Amino acid sequence: MQKIRLIIEYDGTGYHGWQLQRNEVTIQGILEDRIRNITGELSRVMGASRTDAGVHALGQVAAFSTSSDLGPERIQQALNALLPSDIRILDASIVNNTFQPRDDALRKRYFYIIANQNSSSGFLFRYAWLIRQPLDLKSMRTAGAVLPGLHDFSSFMGTGSGIKNPVRELLSLEIRSMKKISFMTGGVKGNFIKITVEANGFLRHMVRNIVGTLAEVGRGKISADRMKEILLSCDRKCAGPTAPGNGLFLERITY
Amino acid sequence: MQKIRLIIEYDGTGYHGWQLQRNEVTIQGILEDRIRNITGELSRVMGASRTDAGVHALGQVAAFSTSSDLGPERIQQALNALLPSDIRILDASIVNNTFQPRDDALRKRYFYIIANQNSSSGFLFRYAWLIRQPLDLKSMRTAGAVLPGLHDFSSFMGTGSGIKNPVRELLSLEIRSMKKISFMTGGVKGNFIKITVEANGFLRHMVRNIVGTLAEVGRGKISADRMKEILLSCDRKCAGPTAPGNGLFLERITY
């Protein structure tokens, strides 16, 4: 048996997220199917991050064990030939049999794009959350500054996650304003907000719930100084709504 | 009656092109449907360019007449509220009743993106033609230099177009090599070829057939010095295949 690690890029628009589901097309499901086509055997593909429906990945990490003796380069080529064009294997390599993509990750980085303007571009709607009301960046930054550190993040945890320990260390949270988003050979002008977060791990919906809460702060519906209270409440009902999946990108996982 | 001119951006991935078709979702069909929702009457929407299935537009121009007295700003807002997110009205204005988007256009500009590399990105497949074999840019430029000018472009005209006069003036053809394509907050590295063409008008499939022929030259299947012969033959069978629609962008129409 050999264990293969994959680095995967995907446009999540057409998928019901990473995790295998009956009767739904998921990234994990497609990968397991194509690996079976190549090796002739069913391998469970373990992913580092269970991205939700519509969420994109620039560097998802996954691994599977196989008795096939095909080299990683051949596996990468065969997968890229068989996979849909919106899922690409950026790298494949042999790793130690003990490698666990999820448990071994030291930290993960995500970013989220908000198009804070009257109208979005026909090309960016897959990749940004359109908010028409002007957001107050200063309040958002004040509220966001409360979150880094080692905390119980229950207030930002989606229900039904079944996780016992809701403590995570948020290493950084950055909110940047951008006047242009690059697309293909040009740029789409507008008013964009990019929120980048890095942590040693994330709870279910944690990034989307943090972004949804920051957007409420930006809108003036939640005052910035309430963020500390929301965090300490450990109560999901105190925080804001879950931001839509399409603006979220899994950027990088560090081991 | 007032005549409204629209400037429209769209991601063509999900559509069977511009032109109205029975039982197919087209840009024109969606626009006429949404205009009827707003004005309560059926208006024929005339487009400047009949883009094919999968082809994108950064600045399509269209016009329709209506007895509604809604101002152009209101019409733009209402359309953007009702249209799918991948079709956006960038501008709406009142024009003279004699305005004809197609006939009045002085020139149109398109560009085409080829990803000339082993693998494409999961985010660019909608917007580029993946060609794995390295293309010879020098030969492509030599062949491309033959085309500008006033010519009978029948060799590059799709069948069934019903056009009587196949003479067009190709104002420019430029082939650029790019090592990076910008996407959202970053760049996708690789080897890209951007072909930009401008003409006083284009025949059916003309850009895609020119690009398909240039790709054959780049592959070495057609020698660069045969381009003149292909042009002069006025025979579609002499030219190369039709490049896929997804790499093509209608960039700008000048009046």
Side-chain angles (χ1 to χ4, degrees):
Chain A
M1 292 290 273
Q2 59 177 353
K3 195 161 198 172
I4 304 288
R5 187 194 67 176
L6 303 173
I7 300 180
I8 311 160
E9 179 189 76
Y10 49 82
D11 179 325
T13 308
Y15 299 95
H16 277 78
W18 168 265
Q19 199 168 13
L20 207 61
Q21 285 177 59
R22 251 178 208 280
N23 306 323
E24 298 289 4
V25 183
T26 67
I27 317 282
Q28 186 188 5
I30 295 253
L31 274 169
E32 292 187 356
D33 183 70
R34 300 304 188 272
I35 289 167
R36 176 144 67 164
N37 291 344
I38 294 166
T39 65
E41 57 183 24
L42 180 65
S43 297
R44 181 93 310 161
V45 176
M46 303 300 293
S49 171
R50 293 184 199 142
T51 56
D52 302 320
V55 174
H56 316 290
L58 303 179
Q60 168 75 286
V61 176
F64 67 97
S65 296
T66 177
S67 62
S68 158
D69 56 5
L70 281 171
E73 257 184 65
R74 292 282 301 282
I75 289 175
Q76 180 180 358
Q77 282 167 6
L79 278 174
N80 279 333
L82 295 176
L83 284 166
S85 306
D86 46 10
I87 306 176
R88 298 287 89 191
I89 307 299
L90 302 182
D91 184 70
S93 56
I94 297 175
V95 284
N96 197 296
N97 278 318
T98 60
F99 177 71
Q100 297 293 346
R102 194 181 175 83
D103 297 344
D104 293 356
L106 293 178
R107 50 186 199 275
K108 295 175 185 171
R109 189 156 73 185
Y110 286 87
F111 65 84
Y112 195 100
I113 308 282
I114 296 172
N116 189 208
Q117 53 192 19
N118 247 319
S119 68
S120 181
S121 155
F123 294 96
L124 298 183
F125 76 99
R126 289 187 175 88
Y127 314 114
W129 181 19
L130 176 64
I131 299 181
R132 289 197 164 77
Q133 185 185 337
L135 300 179
D136 179 350
L137 266 180
K138 208 177 147 223
S139 304
M140 290 171 73
R141 287 197 178 114
T142 304
V146 168
L147 299 176
L150 190 74
H151 303 292
D152 178 331
F153 280 99
S154 295
S155 304
F156 302 100
M157 181 170 69
T159 51
S161 69
I163 278 179
K164 280 161 207 145
N165 178 8
V167 174
R168 295 290 182 276
E169 186 177 9
L170 189 68
L171 301 158
S172 64
L173 186 151
E174 190 197 49
I175 303 179
R176 272 183 59 201
S177 164
M178 298 191 296
K179 291 297 166 204
K180 199 175 130 181
I181 288 262
S182 47
F183 179 78
M184 300 301 293
T185 64
V188 180
K189 281 179 197 158
N191 196 36
F192 299 95
I193 297 169
K194 180 185 180 182
I195 301 173
T196 306
V197 286
E198 192 160 36
N200 65 348
F202 288 92
L203 304 168
R204 183 184 162 100
H205 293 177
M206 180 170 152
V207 185
R208 293 168 57 193
N209 289 339
I210 287 175
V211 170
T213 306
L214 288 173
E216 291 293 274
V217 171
R219 279 178 167 121
K221 291 195 180 173
I222 295 178
S223 77
D225 51 18
R226 269 200 52 214
M227 190 57 119
K228 181 131 209 158
E229 203 181 308
I230 291 170
L231 175 66
L232 295 175
S233 75
C234 295
D235 181 357
R236 174 70 189 90
K237 289 191 290 291
C238 292
T242 308
N246 63 325
L248 183 58
F249 291 74
L250 168 57
E251 187 176 10
R252 194 167 68 184
I253 301 173
T254 306
Y255 289 91
Chain B
M1 292 289 274
Q2 59 178 352
K3 194 160 199 172
I4 304 288
R5 188 194 64 176
L6 304 172
I7 300 180
I8 311 160
E9 178 189 75
Y10 48 83
D11 180 326
T13 308
Y15 299 95
H16 277 78
W18 168 267
Q19 199 169 13
L20 206 61
Q21 285 178 61
R22 251 178 209 281
N23 306 322
E24 298 289 4
V25 183
T26 67
I27 317 282
Q28 187 189 5
I30 296 252
L31 274 168
E32 291 187 356
D33 183 70
R34 299 304 188 272
I35 289 168
R36 176 145 65 164
N37 291 344
I38 294 165
T39 64
E41 58 184 21
L42 179 65
S43 297
R44 181 95 310 163
V45 177
M46 303 301 292
S49 172
R50 292 183 200 144
T51 55
D52 303 319
V55 174
H56 316 290
L58 304 178
Q60 169 74 287
V61 176
F64 66 97
S65 296
T66 177
S67 61
S68 158
D69 55 6
L70 281 171
E73 256 184 64
R74 293 281 302 282
I75 288 175
Q76 179 181 358
Q77 282 167 6
L79 278 174
N80 279 333
L82 295 176
L83 284 166
S85 307
D86 47 9
I87 305 177
R88 297 288 90 192
I89 307 299
L90 302 182
D91 184 70
S93 57
I94 296 175
V95 285
N96 197 295
N97 278 318
T98 59
F99 177 71
Q100 297 293 345
R102 193 180 176 82
D103 298 343
D104 293 356
L106 292 179
R107 49 186 199 274
K108 295 175 185 170
R109 189 156 74 185
Y110 285 87
F111 66 84
Y112 195 101
I113 308 281
I114 296 172
N116 189 210
Q117 53 192 20
N118 248 317
S119 66
S120 181
S121 154
F123 294 97
L124 298 184
F125 78 99
R126 289 187 176 88
Y127 313 114
W129 180 19
L130 176 63
I131 300 181
R132 290 197 164 77
Q133 185 185 337
L135 300 179
D136 179 351
L137 265 180
K138 210 178 145 221
S139 304
M140 290 171 73
R141 288 195 177 116
T142 305
V146 168
L147 299 176
L150 190 73
H151 302 292
D152 179 332
F153 280 99
S154 294
S155 304
F156 302 100
M157 181 170 69
T159 51
S161 69
I163 277 180
K164 280 162 207 143
N165 178 8
V167 174
R168 294 291 182 275
E169 187 176 8
L170 189 68
L171 300 158
S172 63
L173 185 151
E174 191 196 49
I175 303 178
R176 272 183 60 200
S177 164
M178 298 190 297
K179 292 297 166 203
K180 200 175 131 180
I181 288 261
S182 45
F183 179 78
M184 299 303 293
T185 65
V188 180
K189 281 179 199 159
N191 197 36
F192 299 95
I193 297 169
K194 180 184 181 183
I195 301 173
T196 306
V197 286
E198 193 160 33
N200 66 347
F202 287 92
L203 304 168
R204 183 184 163 99
H205 293 177
M206 181 169 150
V207 185
R208 292 167 59 194
N209 289 338
I210 287 175
V211 170
T213 306
L214 288 173
E216 291 293 273
V217 170
R219 279 179 168 120
K221 290 196 182 173
I222 294 178
S223 77
D225 50 19
R226 269 198 52 211
M227 191 57 120
K228 181 130 209 163
E229 202 181 307
I230 291 170
L231 175 65
L232 295 175
S233 74
C234 296
D235 181 358
R236 174 70 190 90
K237 290 190 291 293
C238 292
T242 308
N246 63 325
L248 183 59
F249 290 75
L250 168 58
E251 187 176 10
R252 195 168 68 184
I253 301 173
T254 307
Y255 289 91

